Amino acid sequence: MRLSPEQIATIRAAARETFGPEARVWLFGSRVDDQARGGDIDLMFESAEPINNPALLAARLSARISRRMHGRKVDVLLAAPNLRRLPIHEIAFTEGRVL
């Protein structure tokens, strides 16, 4: 996994602030590969509760984490009981790593 302990703490804090202490976050994509270089940070946040306005929430989370990580590009995917599960969710669940 190519994230520093400080970056992981930043992401976990954003998850807690947004979804509460039960939120789970997966890192997936190129940042899971220790041999890869560069790349954005792909994150999936899972909530046990339904999410209203998921597009707005994902944009806000992405911006919040990006600002705290000095402008690093962050893509956010949301998983919740009321949201349709797409193939990208399966990739995140199966290939990702829980932070």
Side-chain angles (χ1 to χ4, degrees):
M1 174 184 342
R2 294 181 301 119
L3 288 179
S4 70
E6 294 80 18
Q7 290 172 321
I8 293 170
T10 296
I11 293 165
R12 286 179 177 161
R16 281 191 309 273
E17 292 165 10
T18 304
F19 299 106
E22 305 300 321
R24 291 180 28 159
V25 184
W26 276 261
L27 173 71
F28 67 102
S30 64
R31 289 284 173 157
V32 176
D33 182 355
D34 290 334
Q35 306 306 313
R37 298 181 63 91
D40 58 0
I41 298 173
D42 297 311
L43 301 170
M44 181 175 69
F45 292 81
E46 181 182 28
S47 172
E49 301 297 323
I51 295 174
N52 295 321
N53 297 318
L56 179 61
L57 182 60
R60 285 182 175 165
L61 260 173
S62 176
R64 181 182 307 156
I65 296 168
S66 179
R67 276 193 310 271
R68 292 178 182 176
M69 298 176 111
H70 310 289
R72 187 159 309 274
K73 186 175 181 311
V74 177
D75 291 330
V76 170
L77 180 65
L78 300 175
N82 66 321
L83 301 179
R84 190 172 79 178
R85 190 174 274 197
L86 302 171
I88 190 71
H89 290 94
E90 296 309 318
I91 292 170
F93 278 121
T94 58
E95 298 176 11
R97 297 192 42 199
V98 176
L99 298 180

